[in-house]
Short mmCIF file of all heavy atoms in Angstrom, two decimals:
data_model
loop_
_atom_site.label_atom_id
_atom_site.label_comp_id
_atom_site.label_asym_id
_atom_site.label_seq_id
_atom_site.Cartn_x
_atom_site.Cartn_y
_atom_site.Cartn_z
N LEU V 1 -2.67 13.30 -8.52
CA LEU V 1 -2.54 14.03 -9.77
C LEU V 1 -2.49 15.54 -9.57
O LEU V 1 -1.77 16.26 -10.28
CB LEU V 1 -3.69 13.67 -10.72
CG LEU V 1 -3.65 12.25 -11.31
CD1 LEU V 1 -4.91 11.98 -12.11
CD2 LEU V 1 -2.42 12.08 -12.20
N VAL V 2 -3.24 16.05 -8.59
CA VAL V 2 -3.26 17.50 -8.33
C VAL V 2 -2.28 17.90 -7.24
O VAL V 2 -2.23 19.06 -6.84
CB VAL V 2 -4.69 17.98 -7.96
CG1 VAL V 2 -5.66 17.67 -9.09
CG2 VAL V 2 -5.17 17.35 -6.65
N SER V 3 -1.50 16.93 -6.75
CA SER V 3 -0.49 17.19 -5.71
C SER V 3 -1.11 17.83 -4.47
O SER V 3 -0.71 18.92 -4.04
CB SER V 3 0.64 18.07 -6.25
OG SER V 3 1.31 17.46 -7.32
N ASP V 4 -2.09 17.14 -3.91
CA ASP V 4 -2.74 17.62 -2.68
C ASP V 4 -1.87 17.25 -1.48
O ASP V 4 -2.02 16.19 -0.89
CB ASP V 4 -4.13 16.98 -2.56
CG ASP V 4 -4.89 17.49 -1.34
OD1 ASP V 4 -4.36 18.36 -0.62
OD2 ASP V 4 -6.01 17.00 -1.10
N PHE V 5 -0.97 18.15 -1.12
CA PHE V 5 -0.01 17.85 -0.06
C PHE V 5 -0.59 17.98 1.34
O PHE V 5 0.15 17.85 2.32
CB PHE V 5 1.22 18.76 -0.20
CG PHE V 5 1.99 18.53 -1.47
CD1 PHE V 5 2.38 19.59 -2.27
CD2 PHE V 5 2.31 17.23 -1.88
CE1 PHE V 5 3.08 19.38 -3.43
CE2 PHE V 5 3.01 17.01 -3.05
CZ PHE V 5 3.40 18.09 -3.84
N SER V 6 -1.88 18.19 1.44
CA SER V 6 -2.52 18.13 2.76
C SER V 6 -2.67 16.68 3.22
O SER V 6 -2.94 16.41 4.38
CB SER V 6 -3.89 18.81 2.73
OG SER V 6 -4.79 18.10 1.88
N ILE V 7 -2.48 15.74 2.28
CA ILE V 7 -2.51 14.30 2.58
C ILE V 7 -1.08 13.82 2.73
O ILE V 7 -0.24 14.04 1.85
CB ILE V 7 -3.24 13.52 1.47
CG1 ILE V 7 -4.69 14.00 1.35
CG2 ILE V 7 -3.20 12.03 1.74
CD1 ILE V 7 -5.46 13.38 0.21
N HIS V 8 -0.80 13.15 3.82
CA HIS V 8 0.57 12.78 4.13
C HIS V 8 1.17 11.86 3.07
O HIS V 8 2.34 12.02 2.69
CB HIS V 8 0.64 12.09 5.50
CG HIS V 8 2.04 11.91 6.02
ND1 HIS V 8 2.68 12.89 6.73
CD2 HIS V 8 2.92 10.89 5.88
CE1 HIS V 8 3.91 12.48 7.03
NE2 HIS V 8 4.07 11.27 6.53
N GLN V 9 0.40 10.89 2.60
CA GLN V 9 0.95 9.96 1.61
C GLN V 9 1.28 10.67 0.31
O GLN V 9 2.28 10.33 -0.34
CB GLN V 9 -0.03 8.82 1.35
CG GLN V 9 0.48 7.85 0.28
CD GLN V 9 -0.21 6.52 0.30
OE1 GLN V 9 -0.22 5.83 1.30
NE2 GLN V 9 -0.79 6.14 -0.83
N VAL V 10 0.47 11.64 -0.10
CA VAL V 10 0.76 12.40 -1.32
C VAL V 10 2.06 13.18 -1.15
O VAL V 10 2.91 13.20 -2.04
CB VAL V 10 -0.41 13.34 -1.66
CG1 VAL V 10 -0.06 14.18 -2.89
CG2 VAL V 10 -1.69 12.56 -1.90
N TRP V 11 2.22 13.82 0.01
CA TRP V 11 3.44 14.58 0.27
C TRP V 11 4.67 13.67 0.30
O TRP V 11 5.73 14.03 -0.20
CB TRP V 11 3.30 15.32 1.61
CG TRP V 11 4.55 16.04 2.02
CD1 TRP V 11 4.92 17.31 1.65
CD2 TRP V 11 5.59 15.54 2.87
NE1 TRP V 11 6.13 17.62 2.21
CE2 TRP V 11 6.58 16.56 2.96
CE3 TRP V 11 5.80 14.35 3.55
CZ2 TRP V 11 7.73 16.41 3.71
CZ3 TRP V 11 6.96 14.19 4.30
CH2 TRP V 11 7.90 15.21 4.38
N GLU V 12 4.50 12.47 0.86
CA GLU V 12 5.64 11.58 1.06
C GLU V 12 6.08 10.86 -0.21
O GLU V 12 7.26 10.57 -0.39
CB GLU V 12 5.31 10.54 2.14
CG GLU V 12 6.48 9.68 2.56
CD GLU V 12 6.17 8.78 3.73
OE1 GLU V 12 4.99 8.74 4.17
OE2 GLU V 12 7.09 8.10 4.22
N TYR V 13 5.13 10.57 -1.13
CA TYR V 13 5.47 9.76 -2.30
C TYR V 13 5.22 10.48 -3.62
O TYR V 13 5.12 9.82 -4.66
CB TYR V 13 4.65 8.46 -2.27
CG TYR V 13 4.99 7.57 -1.11
CD1 TYR V 13 4.13 7.48 -0.01
CD2 TYR V 13 6.17 6.85 -1.07
CE1 TYR V 13 4.45 6.67 1.07
CE2 TYR V 13 6.50 6.05 0.01
CZ TYR V 13 5.63 5.97 1.07
OH TYR V 13 5.96 5.17 2.14
N SER V 14 5.14 11.79 -3.59
CA SER V 14 4.93 12.52 -4.83
C SER V 14 5.63 13.87 -4.76
O SER V 14 6.14 14.28 -3.72
CB SER V 14 3.42 12.73 -5.07
OG SER V 14 3.21 13.36 -6.32
N GLY V 15 5.67 14.55 -5.89
CA GLY V 15 6.28 15.87 -5.97
C GLY V 15 5.65 16.66 -7.09
O GLY V 15 5.20 16.10 -8.10
N GLY V 16 5.61 17.95 -6.94
CA GLY V 16 4.98 18.80 -7.95
C GLY V 16 5.70 18.81 -9.28
O GLY V 16 5.11 19.17 -10.30
N ASP V 17 6.97 18.40 -9.31
CA ASP V 17 7.76 18.44 -10.54
C ASP V 17 7.70 17.13 -11.32
O ASP V 17 8.31 17.02 -12.38
CB ASP V 17 9.22 18.76 -10.21
CG ASP V 17 9.85 17.72 -9.28
OD1 ASP V 17 9.09 17.10 -8.51
OD2 ASP V 17 11.08 17.55 -9.34
N LEU V 18 6.98 16.14 -10.81
CA LEU V 18 6.92 14.83 -11.48
C LEU V 18 5.91 14.82 -12.61
O LEU V 18 4.92 15.57 -12.59
CB LEU V 18 6.55 13.74 -10.47
CG LEU V 18 7.52 13.49 -9.32
CD1 LEU V 18 6.96 12.42 -8.38
CD2 LEU V 18 8.89 13.07 -9.83
N ASP V 19 6.15 13.96 -13.60
CA ASP V 19 5.16 13.74 -14.66
C ASP V 19 3.92 13.09 -14.06
O ASP V 19 3.97 12.44 -13.01
CB ASP V 19 5.73 12.84 -15.75
CG ASP V 19 6.86 13.51 -16.51
OD1 ASP V 19 6.84 14.75 -16.62
OD2 ASP V 19 7.78 12.80 -16.98
N TRP V 20 2.80 13.21 -14.76
CA TRP V 20 1.52 12.73 -14.21
C TRP V 20 1.55 11.23 -13.92
O TRP V 20 0.99 10.78 -12.93
CB TRP V 20 0.37 13.07 -15.17
CG TRP V 20 0.39 12.31 -16.46
CD1 TRP V 20 0.96 12.67 -17.62
CD2 TRP V 20 -0.20 11.01 -16.68
NE1 TRP V 20 0.78 11.70 -18.59
CE2 TRP V 20 0.06 10.68 -18.04
CE3 TRP V 20 -0.93 10.13 -15.90
CZ2 TRP V 20 -0.37 9.49 -18.60
CZ3 TRP V 20 -1.35 8.93 -16.46
CH2 TRP V 20 -1.08 8.62 -17.79
N TRP V 21 2.22 10.45 -14.76
CA TRP V 21 2.22 9.00 -14.56
C TRP V 21 3.09 8.62 -13.37
O TRP V 21 2.82 7.62 -12.70
CB TRP V 21 2.64 8.28 -15.82
CG TRP V 21 3.96 8.71 -16.40
CD1 TRP V 21 4.19 9.76 -17.24
CD2 TRP V 21 5.23 8.10 -16.17
NE1 TRP V 21 5.53 9.84 -17.55
CE2 TRP V 21 6.19 8.83 -16.92
CE3 TRP V 21 5.65 6.99 -15.44
CZ2 TRP V 21 7.54 8.49 -16.94
CZ3 TRP V 21 6.99 6.64 -15.44
CH2 TRP V 21 7.91 7.39 -16.18
N LEU V 22 4.11 9.42 -13.06
CA LEU V 22 4.89 9.17 -11.87
C LEU V 22 4.13 9.59 -10.61
O LEU V 22 4.24 8.95 -9.57
CB LEU V 22 6.23 9.91 -11.95
CG LEU V 22 7.29 9.28 -12.85
CD1 LEU V 22 8.52 10.18 -12.94
CD2 LEU V 22 7.68 7.90 -12.35
N LYS V 23 3.36 10.66 -10.74
CA LYS V 23 2.51 11.06 -9.61
C LYS V 23 1.51 9.95 -9.29
O LYS V 23 1.29 9.60 -8.14
CB LYS V 23 1.76 12.36 -9.94
CG LYS V 23 2.61 13.61 -9.99
CD LYS V 23 1.75 14.83 -10.26
CE LYS V 23 2.57 16.09 -10.27
NZ LYS V 23 1.74 17.29 -10.53
N LEU V 24 0.92 9.40 -10.35
CA LEU V 24 -0.05 8.32 -10.17
C LEU V 24 0.60 7.10 -9.56
O LEU V 24 -0.01 6.38 -8.74
CB LEU V 24 -0.69 7.97 -11.51
CG LEU V 24 -2.08 7.32 -11.49
CD1 LEU V 24 -3.08 8.22 -10.81
CD2 LEU V 24 -2.53 7.01 -12.91
N SER V 25 1.86 6.84 -9.90
CA SER V 25 2.58 5.69 -9.35
C SER V 25 2.75 5.80 -7.85
O SER V 25 2.85 4.78 -7.15
CB SER V 25 3.95 5.56 -10.01
OG SER V 25 3.84 5.37 -11.40
N GLY V 26 2.78 7.02 -7.34
CA GLY V 26 2.91 7.22 -5.91
C GLY V 26 1.72 6.69 -5.13
O GLY V 26 1.83 6.42 -3.92
N ALA V 27 0.59 6.49 -5.82
CA ALA V 27 -0.62 6.01 -5.14
C ALA V 27 -0.44 4.60 -4.60
O ALA V 27 -1.11 4.20 -3.63
CB ALA V 27 -1.82 6.05 -6.08
N TRP V 28 0.44 3.82 -5.21
CA TRP V 28 0.69 2.46 -4.71
C TRP V 28 2.13 2.28 -4.24
O TRP V 28 2.63 1.17 -4.10
CB TRP V 28 0.35 1.40 -5.77
CG TRP V 28 0.93 1.67 -7.13
CD1 TRP V 28 2.23 1.54 -7.53
CD2 TRP V 28 0.21 2.13 -8.27
NE1 TRP V 28 2.36 1.87 -8.85
CE2 TRP V 28 1.13 2.24 -9.34
CE3 TRP V 28 -1.14 2.44 -8.52
CZ2 TRP V 28 0.77 2.66 -10.62
CZ3 TRP V 28 -1.50 2.86 -9.78
CH2 TRP V 28 -0.56 2.97 -10.81
N ALA V 29 2.82 3.40 -3.98
CA ALA V 29 4.20 3.33 -3.51
C ALA V 29 4.27 3.05 -2.01
O ALA V 29 5.18 2.38 -1.54
CB ALA V 29 4.95 4.61 -3.84
N GLY V 30 3.31 3.58 -1.24
CA GLY V 30 3.32 3.40 0.20
C GLY V 30 2.53 2.19 0.64
O GLY V 30 1.83 1.55 -0.16
N ARG V 31 2.61 1.87 1.93
CA ARG V 31 1.92 0.69 2.47
C ARG V 31 0.41 0.81 2.35
O ARG V 31 -0.26 -0.07 1.78
CB ARG V 31 2.31 0.49 3.94
CG ARG V 31 1.66 -0.73 4.58
CD ARG V 31 2.04 -0.87 6.03
NE ARG V 31 1.58 0.26 6.82
CZ ARG V 31 2.39 1.13 7.42
NH1 ARG V 31 3.69 0.99 7.31
NH2 ARG V 31 1.90 2.14 8.13
N SER V 32 -0.15 1.90 2.86
CA SER V 32 -1.61 2.04 2.85
C SER V 32 -2.15 2.19 1.43
O SER V 32 -3.22 1.67 1.11
CB SER V 32 -2.03 3.23 3.71
OG SER V 32 -1.43 4.43 3.25
N GLY V 33 -1.39 2.89 0.56
CA GLY V 33 -1.84 3.04 -0.82
C GLY V 33 -1.86 1.73 -1.57
O GLY V 33 -2.79 1.47 -2.35
N SER V 34 -0.86 0.89 -1.34
CA SER V 34 -0.81 -0.40 -2.03
C SER V 34 -1.91 -1.34 -1.53
O SER V 34 -2.53 -2.06 -2.32
CB SER V 34 0.57 -1.05 -1.85
OG SER V 34 0.87 -1.23 -0.48
N ILE V 35 -2.18 -1.32 -0.23
CA ILE V 35 -3.27 -2.13 0.32
C ILE V 35 -4.61 -1.65 -0.23
O ILE V 35 -5.48 -2.46 -0.56
CB ILE V 35 -3.27 -2.09 1.86
CG1 ILE V 35 -2.02 -2.80 2.40
CG2 ILE V 35 -4.52 -2.75 2.43
CD1 ILE V 35 -1.89 -2.75 3.90
N MET V 36 -4.75 -0.33 -0.34
CA MET V 36 -5.98 0.25 -0.89
C MET V 36 -6.20 -0.23 -2.33
O MET V 36 -7.31 -0.67 -2.69
CB MET V 36 -5.86 1.78 -0.85
CG MET V 36 -6.96 2.50 -1.57
SD MET V 36 -8.41 2.70 -0.54
CE MET V 36 -9.33 3.85 -1.55
N PHE V 37 -5.16 -0.15 -3.14
CA PHE V 37 -5.28 -0.55 -4.55
C PHE V 37 -5.57 -2.05 -4.66
O PHE V 37 -6.40 -2.47 -5.47
CB PHE V 37 -3.98 -0.20 -5.28
CG PHE V 37 -4.05 -0.37 -6.76
CD1 PHE V 37 -5.02 0.28 -7.51
CD2 PHE V 37 -3.14 -1.18 -7.43
CE1 PHE V 37 -5.08 0.12 -8.89
CE2 PHE V 37 -3.20 -1.35 -8.80
CZ PHE V 37 -4.17 -0.70 -9.53
N TRP V 38 -4.91 -2.85 -3.85
CA TRP V 38 -5.13 -4.30 -3.84
C TRP V 38 -6.57 -4.62 -3.45
O TRP V 38 -7.24 -5.45 -4.09
CB TRP V 38 -4.13 -4.93 -2.87
CG TRP V 38 -4.12 -6.43 -2.83
CD1 TRP V 38 -4.82 -7.29 -3.62
CD2 TRP V 38 -3.35 -7.24 -1.94
NE1 TRP V 38 -4.55 -8.58 -3.28
CE2 TRP V 38 -3.64 -8.59 -2.27
CE3 TRP V 38 -2.44 -6.96 -0.92
CZ2 TRP V 38 -3.06 -9.65 -1.57
CZ3 TRP V 38 -1.86 -8.02 -0.25
CH2 TRP V 38 -2.17 -9.34 -0.57
N THR V 39 -7.05 -3.97 -2.40
CA THR V 39 -8.42 -4.21 -1.95
C THR V 39 -9.43 -3.83 -3.01
O THR V 39 -10.40 -4.55 -3.26
CB THR V 39 -8.70 -3.40 -0.66
OG1 THR V 39 -7.70 -3.68 0.31
CG2 THR V 39 -10.07 -3.73 -0.10
N TRP V 40 -9.19 -2.69 -3.66
CA TRP V 40 -10.11 -2.25 -4.71
C TRP V 40 -10.16 -3.26 -5.85
O TRP V 40 -11.23 -3.56 -6.38
CB TRP V 40 -9.69 -0.88 -5.24
CG TRP V 40 -10.56 -0.43 -6.38
CD1 TRP V 40 -11.86 -0.01 -6.32
CD2 TRP V 40 -10.19 -0.38 -7.77
NE1 TRP V 40 -12.33 0.29 -7.59
CE2 TRP V 40 -11.32 0.08 -8.49
CE3 TRP V 40 -9.01 -0.67 -8.46
CZ2 TRP V 40 -11.30 0.25 -9.87
CZ3 TRP V 40 -9.00 -0.50 -9.84
CH2 TRP V 40 -10.14 -0.05 -10.53
N LEU V 41 -9.01 -3.82 -6.23
CA LEU V 41 -8.98 -4.81 -7.30
C LEU V 41 -9.72 -6.10 -6.91
O LEU V 41 -10.38 -6.71 -7.74
CB LEU V 41 -7.53 -5.14 -7.66
CG LEU V 41 -6.77 -4.04 -8.42
CD1 LEU V 41 -5.30 -4.41 -8.55
CD2 LEU V 41 -7.38 -3.80 -9.79
N ILE V 42 -9.63 -6.48 -5.64
CA ILE V 42 -10.38 -7.66 -5.17
C ILE V 42 -11.88 -7.42 -5.30
O ILE V 42 -12.63 -8.24 -5.84
CB ILE V 42 -10.01 -8.01 -3.72
CG1 ILE V 42 -8.57 -8.50 -3.62
CG2 ILE V 42 -10.96 -9.09 -3.16
CD1 ILE V 42 -8.11 -8.76 -2.19
#
């Protein structure tokens, strides 16, 4: 949400010009982010 580009996944799957909900969608766009979200739901 704050576009912390010091994190590789944030830099790779997000952009400062995106709406907040698209930024949030980037959290499960990559491999590690999707596994993280899946694990948290379990």
Side-chain angles (χ1 to χ4, degrees):
L1 289 174
V2 300
S3 299
D4 183 2
F5 296 132
S6 65
I7 299 175
H8 191 86
Q9 178 162 303
V10 177
W11 175 86
E12 188 173 6
Y13 295 105
S14 184
D17 60 332
L18 297 178
D19 293 330
W20 69 268
W21 55 275
L22 283 175
K23 289 182 178 180
L24 204 59
S25 299
W28 48 74
R31 181 182 62 246
S32 58
S34 59
I35 293 177
M36 171 84 169
F37 189 56
W38 186 5
T39 307
W40 176 71
L41 288 172
I42 292 175

